[in-house]
Amino acid sequence: MPEITLETVDSRPILAVTRKTSMAGSEIAAAMQADFETLGKFMAANAIHPIGPPVAIYTDMEGGQVTYELGFPVGPEDLRKAQDPVHTLHTPAGKVLKTTHIGSYAQLEKTYDMIEQRIVRDGLRHDGPMWEVYVNDPDTSAESDLLTEIFCRVA
């Protein structure tokens, strides 16, 4: 069982794309794959190098749909290079519950369930979006070794 900690985090600037898609895991995966390709081509064409692993911020989850911002942290000089569909954004800041999910993305729901149980147990409430940081690359890491940091803003 992953450890869930209460922390305070700072905002980080990212270059991102926005998408609304179905909550179905296969559709989210396909959408993110397409968005990673868009970001990769944009960053290569503009000589932009990420300064950290990719981030997905989930801004809206209603009616079987999810809206997310998918991006990479970059330096301040690269933020000025944003152009449609790539835009600048900052990750949320503040008090969060944080944990690291180990393993398949298909099993993330179990870790989210544990976060929800912690929120209820501690009398907390959601206070903004949740986001994930994909610590290692699924193209070069075994599925069982994938690391996904999960952040949930709380009050």
Side-chain angles (χ1 to χ4, degrees), residues 21-137:
T21 188
S22 156
M23 293 279 285
S26 61
E27 289 188 34
I28 293 172
M32 284 191 171
Q33 180 62 38
D35 292 334
F36 275 125
E37 289 174 16
T38 297
L39 286 162
K41 288 176 185 174
F42 175 82
M43 293 172 76
N46 290 280
I48 298 171
H49 301 285
I51 59 172
V55 177
I57 304 169
Y58 298 94
T59 60
D60 186 31
M61 291 185 230
E62 289 192 28
Q65 299 278 302
V66 60
T67 302
Y68 65 78
E69 306 275 359
L70 181 69
F72 286 92
V74 297
E77 65 286 351
D78 289 328
L79 291 175
R80 294 187 283 275
K81 298 177 183 178
Q83 55 184 260
D84 193 40
V86 178
H87 57 274
T88 62
L89 183 69
H90 285 78
T91 60
K95 189 162 69 168
V96 300
L97 288 178
K98 177 186 174 191
T99 191
T100 301
H101 172 83
I102 302 171
S104 168
Y105 299 140
Q107 300 300 314
L108 280 166
E109 188 174 334
K110 292 178 183 178
T111 302
Y112 275 102
D113 287 344
M114 289 190 305
I115 292 170
E116 291 301 319
Q117 291 170 12
R118 172 78 182 266
I119 288 171
V120 170
R121 185 193 82 197
D122 291 358
L124 301 169
R125 65 178 170 76
H126 288 274
D127 187 31
M130 294 185 282
W131 67 100
E132 298 171 349
V133 175
Y134 306 107
V135 177
N136 51 7
D137 185 343

